[in-house]
Amino acid sequence: MSETRLIEISPVTRVEGHGKVTIHLDANNQVDEARLHIVEFRGFERFIRGRLLWEVPVIVQRLCGICPVSHHLAAAKAMDQIVGVDVLPPTAEKMRRLMHYGQVMQSHVLHFFHLSAPDLLFGFGAPAERRNIFEVIRENPELGLRAVLMRKFGQEIIEATAGKKIHGTGAIPGGINRNLDIATRDRLLGQVDQMLDWAQDALAIARNYVQDHSAMVADFGTFPSTHMALVREGDGALDLYHGRMRALNCAGAPIFDMLDYCDYHKVLVEDVRSWSYMKFPFIKELGPENGWYRVGPLARMNTASFIDTPLANAAHGALRAFSGGMNHSTLANHWARMIEVVHCVEKIRELLHDPDLQGTDLVAKGERRFEGIGVIEAPRGNLIHHYKVDEHDQVTFCNLIVSTTHNNEGMNRAVKDVAVKHLSGQPKITEGMLNHVEVAIRAYDPCLSCATHALGQMPLQVEIYDADARLIDRAGQCL
Amino acid sequence: MNGPFQFRIDGVEVAATPGQTIMEAADAAGIYIPRLCDVEGLRHQGGCRVCTVKVGGKAAGRSVSACTQPAEPGLEVENDTEARNRVRRDLVEMLFHEGNHLCPICEKSGNCELQAMACRLDMTAATRFPYLEPCRDLDASHPDIALDTNRCISCGRCIRASQDVDAKGVFGYVGRGIHRRVAVNGADLAHTDAALADHAMSVCPVGCIIRKGEGFATPIGARHFDHGLIGHEIEGRAGEDLARKDGRK
Ligand code: SF4
Ligand code: SF4
Ligand code: FES
């Protein structure tokens, strides 16, 4: 019998896409190493080469069935630069923002109600058959209904701006292909106040959860780290669509600030490790050991100076006060996410009242360039699209850094932290314990292959290997 | 015989004049016969066979292409029947299987006649034929026009338009049999006298001939086939409303 055992959790359930967790135990059942393995986009970066520049914002949506709009907009922003446009017509920028707020809202709502609420409501160790959205709806029919309607509202916003609820075509290089007609605007306005009420209720659930379980939250996947996000140019406000890059160290001091995102490659380096397809980006000046960072809703709450909508700003203040500054708790992401839902709905309401959305100047033109970078704050965090396009309008180079890649090291640390605390020294690994590991990963809302959408229907496979890679045990069930 | 005459399509009396093809007479009468290579303003080619109809009564019926076959007095034409449409669907499926058609990322989507034909003919699933996945080029050398030959269905419209209307000969066929393909008359499109204003650049039924920089500018909902099945304009001439068309099956 060998010295170490290897436990695999594959695929990780209730995250978007597929992934695998391996936990290496030593002879004393102590966690030796824990890793998250992820399949990534290399194939895509090759596929896009040779395609025509205006196809890119449409093609990249196929990366992901959950946040296609983020890829669509990040690519469109990169292509704006390629067609020489730095400032969009107001109608175009506002339509794109509306689309983005709708997307972030619906993605966060999906994550919170469908993927995380079962854990938060029933506990991480609850039996598998309870930890799903159907149980949530059974126990809280009202909550379940709201989840569905809020998500539907977000999708209607996307449809109104992109033509379809999923994989539409709204943003084109230099602008947008439609404005918002009055009838659609009025239909959406009719729902927005209700959405704002419900968003605040959801925020209260997430906030109360973190506050009421503060000891557990502080002990669950909490570790100091750098946080990075876009913030608004000038005043540092939260800005999900556009801004400058800010990275704060664990104490809240800037590592870089108000950085033009076109210079991202001057501050970020991507490391490659043999056991994962996914790259490990780090901040150049801090090196691979210390330069890793986290992105996402919590990183945005940590980096934003304030929020420019009143209800979300008050909530942001409350989170900051509770945390005493920077918050490093993996589970506080749920609270941060719901603050952003409130912010998105406030922004949607503001935009729906803006007559610019009925403007007819939709596309700007400029002088052709050969390189473009688009950065956006996607639901899961910072998203970088970088392209080079030749004089024939064909893509020659593509580099994407998606949120889940930014968070790679953070997720691995969270997995290890939880594994060490909850699995080490236990004579028998229970399904509830393994779920703790998954809860840590899910808090980052990772889009593991940006592919399929699991929704609690994926089989959980646990495999134990010895050091000679012999399978010595296997357990599986359908969640 | 020089005067107008009558013949029947699916039992409906249709008026024709001597020299008219079955399709021309059908169009005038508001009866749509599916087609891909034929288009108004260009000479008939009879290449795609999507317009195939049966003439002369079912038992002894001959299959002819309606776009080239002259109408004759008393002719009985079988057009919109399950059997005819099944053959057409097979042909359309084969066009999908022999090219590379990724509609969701194609800028012609919603304006594409091949896609629209697949919809009209109820090609609801992926083709039953194995995809050939050929390796074809995207020629973006021209400043205003690109050619994505992955989507070419060899309909020959561009060839006829370039020769007959533009008097240029930018496009031509190369190869024989199943290897016959449409090619440009030069090393690439930039080395031809192709111009954006050429008629040839506006006749492609699919997303092969691309007018650069225009892709996706038309929002979903305002694209040509967002408003009805392919052929609905012709059917509209007979006052046949779309609801009836949709409820046909
Ligand atoms: S050319 Fe038509 S059928 Fe082919 S991919 Fe484009 S839309 Fe689809
Ligand atoms: S390029 Fe277009 S018009 Fe020309 S043969 Fe091919 S499909 Fe037909
Ligand atoms: S339309 Fe008659 S053969 Fe193509």
Short mmCIF file of all heavy atoms in Angstrom, two decimals, chain A residues 101-126:
data_model
loop_
_atom_site.label_atom_id
_atom_site.label_comp_id
_atom_site.label_asym_id
_atom_site.label_seq_id
_atom_site.Cartn_x
_atom_site.Cartn_y
_atom_site.Cartn_z
N TYR A 101 -25.92 45.17 -17.99
CA TYR A 101 -26.56 45.12 -16.67
C TYR A 101 -27.61 44.01 -16.63
O TYR A 101 -27.76 43.32 -15.62
CB TYR A 101 -27.19 46.48 -16.31
CG TYR A 101 -26.16 47.59 -16.15
CD1 TYR A 101 -26.27 48.80 -16.84
CD2 TYR A 101 -25.07 47.42 -15.29
CE1 TYR A 101 -25.32 49.80 -16.69
CE2 TYR A 101 -24.11 48.42 -15.15
CZ TYR A 101 -24.24 49.60 -15.86
OH TYR A 101 -23.29 50.59 -15.71
N GLY A 102 -28.32 43.84 -17.73
CA GLY A 102 -29.29 42.75 -17.79
C GLY A 102 -28.60 41.40 -17.64
O GLY A 102 -29.08 40.50 -16.95
N GLN A 103 -27.47 41.29 -18.29
CA GLN A 103 -26.71 40.04 -18.25
C GLN A 103 -26.15 39.75 -16.86
O GLN A 103 -26.28 38.64 -16.35
CB GLN A 103 -25.58 40.13 -19.28
CG GLN A 103 -24.37 39.27 -19.00
CD GLN A 103 -24.62 37.81 -19.33
OE1 GLN A 103 -25.70 37.45 -19.77
NE2 GLN A 103 -23.64 36.99 -19.09
N VAL A 104 -25.53 40.76 -16.25
CA VAL A 104 -24.93 40.54 -14.93
C VAL A 104 -26.04 40.18 -13.94
O VAL A 104 -25.91 39.25 -13.13
CB VAL A 104 -24.15 41.78 -14.45
CG1 VAL A 104 -23.66 41.58 -13.02
CG2 VAL A 104 -22.97 42.06 -15.39
N MET A 105 -27.15 40.89 -14.06
CA MET A 105 -28.26 40.63 -13.15
C MET A 105 -28.74 39.18 -13.28
O MET A 105 -28.86 38.45 -12.30
CB MET A 105 -29.41 41.59 -13.46
CG MET A 105 -30.64 41.29 -12.65
SD MET A 105 -32.10 42.04 -13.37
CE MET A 105 -33.35 41.27 -12.36
N GLN A 106 -29.00 38.76 -14.52
CA GLN A 106 -29.58 37.42 -14.67
C GLN A 106 -28.57 36.34 -14.31
O GLN A 106 -28.92 35.32 -13.74
CB GLN A 106 -30.21 37.23 -16.05
CG GLN A 106 -29.27 37.06 -17.22
CD GLN A 106 -28.94 35.61 -17.47
OE1 GLN A 106 -29.66 34.73 -17.03
NE2 GLN A 106 -27.83 35.37 -18.14
N SER A 107 -27.31 36.59 -14.58
CA SER A 107 -26.29 35.60 -14.23
C SER A 107 -26.15 35.47 -12.71
O SER A 107 -26.08 34.37 -12.17
CB SER A 107 -24.95 36.03 -14.85
OG SER A 107 -23.92 35.19 -14.39
N HIS A 108 -26.11 36.60 -12.02
CA HIS A 108 -26.01 36.58 -10.56
C HIS A 108 -27.23 35.93 -9.92
O HIS A 108 -27.13 35.18 -8.95
CB HIS A 108 -25.88 38.01 -10.01
CG HIS A 108 -24.49 38.58 -10.12
ND1 HIS A 108 -23.42 37.87 -10.60
CD2 HIS A 108 -23.99 39.80 -9.77
CE1 HIS A 108 -22.32 38.63 -10.55
NE2 HIS A 108 -22.65 39.81 -10.05
N VAL A 109 -28.39 36.24 -10.47
CA VAL A 109 -29.62 35.66 -9.92
C VAL A 109 -29.60 34.14 -10.11
O VAL A 109 -29.92 33.38 -9.20
CB VAL A 109 -30.87 36.29 -10.58
CG1 VAL A 109 -32.12 35.47 -10.28
CG2 VAL A 109 -31.04 37.73 -10.11
N LEU A 110 -29.18 33.72 -11.30
CA LEU A 110 -29.08 32.28 -11.56
C LEU A 110 -28.15 31.64 -10.54
O LEU A 110 -28.47 30.63 -9.92
CB LEU A 110 -28.54 32.04 -12.97
CG LEU A 110 -28.19 30.57 -13.24
CD1 LEU A 110 -29.44 29.75 -13.51
CD2 LEU A 110 -27.22 30.42 -14.41
N HIS A 111 -27.00 32.26 -10.39
CA HIS A 111 -26.02 31.67 -9.49
C HIS A 111 -26.55 31.60 -8.06
O HIS A 111 -26.46 30.58 -7.39
CB HIS A 111 -24.72 32.47 -9.52
CG HIS A 111 -23.70 31.91 -8.59
ND1 HIS A 111 -23.61 32.28 -7.27
CD2 HIS A 111 -22.77 30.95 -8.78
CE1 HIS A 111 -22.66 31.57 -6.69
NE2 HIS A 111 -22.13 30.78 -7.57
N PHE A 112 -27.11 32.71 -7.63
CA PHE A 112 -27.51 32.78 -6.23
C PHE A 112 -28.66 31.83 -5.91
O PHE A 112 -28.57 31.00 -5.01
CB PHE A 112 -27.90 34.22 -5.88
CG PHE A 112 -28.24 34.39 -4.42
CD1 PHE A 112 -27.24 34.32 -3.46
CD2 PHE A 112 -29.54 34.58 -4.02
CE1 PHE A 112 -27.54 34.45 -2.11
CE2 PHE A 112 -29.85 34.72 -2.66
CZ PHE A 112 -28.85 34.65 -1.71
N PHE A 113 -29.72 31.92 -6.68
CA PHE A 113 -30.91 31.13 -6.34
C PHE A 113 -30.77 29.67 -6.74
O PHE A 113 -31.14 28.78 -6.01
CB PHE A 113 -32.15 31.72 -7.02
CG PHE A 113 -32.61 33.00 -6.39
CD1 PHE A 113 -32.38 34.21 -7.00
CD2 PHE A 113 -33.28 32.98 -5.17
CE1 PHE A 113 -32.81 35.39 -6.43
CE2 PHE A 113 -33.71 34.17 -4.58
CZ PHE A 113 -33.48 35.37 -5.22
N HIS A 114 -30.23 29.46 -7.93
CA HIS A 114 -30.22 28.09 -8.45
C HIS A 114 -29.04 27.29 -7.96
O HIS A 114 -29.14 26.10 -7.74
CB HIS A 114 -30.21 28.10 -9.99
CG HIS A 114 -31.46 28.64 -10.58
ND1 HIS A 114 -32.34 27.87 -11.30
CD2 HIS A 114 -32.00 29.88 -10.56
CE1 HIS A 114 -33.36 28.61 -11.70
NE2 HIS A 114 -33.17 29.84 -11.26
N LEU A 115 -27.89 27.93 -7.86
CA LEU A 115 -26.68 27.16 -7.60
C LEU A 115 -26.21 27.25 -6.15
O LEU A 115 -25.66 26.30 -5.62
CB LEU A 115 -25.55 27.60 -8.55
CG LEU A 115 -25.92 27.59 -10.04
CD1 LEU A 115 -24.73 28.02 -10.88
CD2 LEU A 115 -26.40 26.23 -10.49
N SER A 116 -26.42 28.39 -5.51
CA SER A 116 -25.88 28.54 -4.16
C SER A 116 -26.92 28.48 -3.06
O SER A 116 -26.63 28.04 -1.95
CB SER A 116 -25.12 29.87 -4.04
OG SER A 116 -24.00 29.83 -4.87
N ALA A 117 -28.13 28.94 -3.37
CA ALA A 117 -29.16 28.96 -2.33
C ALA A 117 -29.33 27.61 -1.65
O ALA A 117 -29.51 27.55 -0.42
CB ALA A 117 -30.49 29.47 -2.90
N PRO A 118 -29.29 26.50 -2.38
CA PRO A 118 -29.44 25.20 -1.70
C PRO A 118 -28.39 25.01 -0.61
O PRO A 118 -28.71 24.54 0.49
CB PRO A 118 -29.26 24.18 -2.82
CG PRO A 118 -29.61 24.90 -4.08
CD PRO A 118 -29.18 26.33 -3.85
N ASP A 119 -27.16 25.40 -0.88
CA ASP A 119 -26.11 25.27 0.13
C ASP A 119 -26.37 26.21 1.30
O ASP A 119 -26.23 25.85 2.47
CB ASP A 119 -24.75 25.62 -0.47
CG ASP A 119 -24.31 24.60 -1.52
OD1 ASP A 119 -24.66 23.42 -1.36
OD2 ASP A 119 -23.63 25.00 -2.46
N LEU A 120 -26.75 27.45 0.97
CA LEU A 120 -26.90 28.45 2.01
C LEU A 120 -28.13 28.15 2.88
O LEU A 120 -28.12 28.36 4.09
CB LEU A 120 -27.02 29.85 1.41
CG LEU A 120 -25.84 30.30 0.53
CD1 LEU A 120 -25.97 31.78 0.16
CD2 LEU A 120 -24.50 30.07 1.20
N LEU A 121 -29.19 27.65 2.26
CA LEU A 121 -30.42 27.43 3.02
C LEU A 121 -30.38 26.12 3.80
O LEU A 121 -30.91 26.02 4.89
CB LEU A 121 -31.63 27.43 2.08
CG LEU A 121 -31.98 28.78 1.45
CD1 LEU A 121 -33.11 28.62 0.44
CD2 LEU A 121 -32.40 29.79 2.52
N PHE A 122 -29.77 25.10 3.20
CA PHE A 122 -29.84 23.77 3.82
C PHE A 122 -28.54 23.33 4.47
O PHE A 122 -28.49 22.28 5.09
CB PHE A 122 -30.28 22.72 2.79
CG PHE A 122 -31.57 23.05 2.09
CD1 PHE A 122 -31.69 22.93 0.72
CD2 PHE A 122 -32.67 23.51 2.81
CE1 PHE A 122 -32.88 23.27 0.07
CE2 PHE A 122 -33.86 23.84 2.18
CZ PHE A 122 -33.96 23.73 0.81
N GLY A 123 -27.48 24.09 4.28
CA GLY A 123 -26.20 23.72 4.88
C GLY A 123 -25.36 22.89 3.92
O GLY A 123 -25.88 22.16 3.08
N PHE A 124 -24.05 23.03 4.07
CA PHE A 124 -23.14 22.39 3.12
C PHE A 124 -23.11 20.87 3.29
O PHE A 124 -22.74 20.14 2.40
CB PHE A 124 -21.70 22.90 3.29
CG PHE A 124 -21.60 24.39 3.23
CD1 PHE A 124 -20.53 25.03 3.82
CD2 PHE A 124 -22.56 25.15 2.58
CE1 PHE A 124 -20.43 26.41 3.76
CE2 PHE A 124 -22.47 26.53 2.52
CZ PHE A 124 -21.39 27.16 3.13
N GLY A 125 -23.49 20.41 4.49
CA GLY A 125 -23.41 18.98 4.73
C GLY A 125 -24.75 18.29 4.52
O GLY A 125 -24.88 17.10 4.77
N ALA A 126 -25.75 19.04 4.07
CA ALA A 126 -27.08 18.46 3.89
C ALA A 126 -27.05 17.35 2.85
O ALA A 126 -26.20 17.35 1.98
CB ALA A 126 -28.06 19.55 3.46
#
